[in-house]
């Protein structure tokens, strides 16, 4: 890489299983070797969080963190981005791993920057945690006033009126004639899950990273 004229490299973006091979057990020795080798050849290192690829122990021990599609299909280990950004448990486990990574490399002068996740997108997730989170999002947006939601979403049409936020489910995007105001709220909620997940990663790293 150095001979080809590269100046930067990035490490660990898909390496959660190597960083935390067992829950609560961390291994940075292999990554220390990689960082030292990059430094030897004058390559600047961007360190990456590994949240795009949770390890298999996480998916098996905590299957509730997996994304559920609208048709009920539950994503599984073996690819990437199969964990739900709306899952409080997945976030907790992610931030714990990132904190250990940042404690180890935050003040390392060979690390010139950080990459968060990898190509994170907006998840249209039907995980129960996402549905619970959507209801909380609506309660906050409409000041816990179900009448305000009904007015804003025009639910008087087609007898769509809600009497409580607990009656609200995630809009089914494939179902014809779903309320478009609620679909828009869902898309905003879904986008917020991605941005807030990345914002919190930044805050965890910032506690330990050098200025």
């Amino acid at each position: 890489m150095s001979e080809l004229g590269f100046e930067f490299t990035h490490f660990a973006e898909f390496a959660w299983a190597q960083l935390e091979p067992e829950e609560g057990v961390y291994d940075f020795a292999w990554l220390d070797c990689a960082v030292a080798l990059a430094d030897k050849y004058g390559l600047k290192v961007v360190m990456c969080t590994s949240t795009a690829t949770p390890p298999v122990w996480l998916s098996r021990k905590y299957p509730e963190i997996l994304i559920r599609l609208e048709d009920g299909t539950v994503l599984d280990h073996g690819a990437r981005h199969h964990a739900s950004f709306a899952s409080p448990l997945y976030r907790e486990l992610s931030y714990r791993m990132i904190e250990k990574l940042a404690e180890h490399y935050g003040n390392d002068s060979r690390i010139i920057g950080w990459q968060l996740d990898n190509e994170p997108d907006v998840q249209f997730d039907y995980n129960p945690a996402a549905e619970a989170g959507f209801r909380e999002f609506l309660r906050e947006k409409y000041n816990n006033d179900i009448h305000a939601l009904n007015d804003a979403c025009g639910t008087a049409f087609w007898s769509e009126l809600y009497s409580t936020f607990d009656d609200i489910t995630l809009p089914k995007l494939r179902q014809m004639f779903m309320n478009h105001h609620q679909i828009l709220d869902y898309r905003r909620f879904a986008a917020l899950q991605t941005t807030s997940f990345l914002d919190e990663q930044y805050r965890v790293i910032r506690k330990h990273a050098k200025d």
Side-chain angles (χ1 to χ4, degrees), residues 34-132:
V35 171
L37 188 62
D39 184 60
K40 177 181 177 180
Y41 289 97
L43 294 170
K44 301 169 185 176
V45 175
V46 175
M47 189 59 68
C48 310
T49 64
S50 302
T51 48
T53 53
V56 68
W57 62 257
L58 193 154
S59 297
R60 296 294 175 261
K61 186 174 182 180
Y62 305 111
E64 63 269 31
I65 63 94
L66 297 171
I67 290 174
R68 182 185 297 273
L69 303 182
E70 183 179 337
D71 66 3
T73 300
V74 177
L75 301 190
D76 198 7
H77 184 81
R80 63 177 186 169
H81 281 151
H82 49 279
S84 172
F85 294 160
S87 167
L89 176 58
Y90 176 64
R91 288 181 178 235
E92 176 186 342
L93 294 166
S94 296
Y95 302 150
R96 185 183 67 185
M97 177 272 294
I98 293 167
E99 183 116 42
K100 294 293 184 181
L101 188 67
E103 286 175 351
H104 193 81
Y105 292 109
N107 286 313
D108 190 326
S109 61
R110 298 170 298 180
I111 309 303
I112 57 89
W114 291 79
Q115 172 186 309
L116 307 181
D117 200 88
N118 178 263
E119 301 176 353
D121 55 6
V122 175
Q123 301 173 343
F124 296 110
D125 174 26
Y126 289 78
N127 181 304
E131 187 159 88

Side-chain angles (χ1 to χ4, degrees), residues 74-207:
V74 177
L75 301 190
D76 198 7
H77 184 81
R80 63 177 186 169
H81 281 151
H82 49 279
S84 172
F85 294 160
S87 167
L89 176 58
Y90 176 64
R91 288 181 178 235
E92 176 186 342
L93 294 166
S94 296
Y95 302 150
R96 185 183 67 185
M97 177 272 294
I98 293 167
E99 183 116 42
K100 294 293 184 181
L101 188 67
E103 286 175 351
H104 193 81
Y105 292 109
N107 286 313
D108 190 326
S109 61
R110 298 170 298 180
I111 309 303
I112 57 89
W114 291 79
Q115 172 186 309
L116 307 181
D117 200 88
N118 178 263
E119 301 176 353
D121 55 6
V122 175
Q123 301 173 343
F124 296 110
D125 174 26
Y126 289 78
N127 181 304
E131 187 159 88
F134 182 55
R135 289 176 180 142
E136 288 305 309
F137 169 84
L138 295 175
R139 285 188 178 97
E140 182 175 346
K141 178 175 180 179
Y142 296 104
N143 297 312
N144 205 31
D145 184 347
I146 195 66
H147 302 295
L149 180 145
N150 283 320
D151 288 344
C153 294
T155 57
F157 188 61
W158 281 351
S159 189
E160 295 175 354
L161 287 165
Y162 293 102
S163 60
T164 171
F165 285 94
D166 291 332
D167 287 338
I168 297 172
T169 57
L170 294 171
K172 308 304 183 286
L173 302 181
R174 296 181 181 179
Q175 181 175 333
M176 289 182 66
F177 307 124
M178 290 297 293
N179 186 301
H180 287 281
H181 302 287
Q182 288 184 274
I183 290 173
L184 181 58
D185 273 342
Y186 176 43
R187 291 182 179 277
R188 288 169 171 160
F189 164 77
L192 179 61
Q193 301 317 295
T194 302
T195 57
S196 63
F197 183 51
L198 298 178
D199 286 346
E200 187 60 28
Q201 289 195 32
Y202 160 79
R203 284 189 283 269
V204 171
I205 293 168
R206 197 69 184 87
K207 290 191 297 183

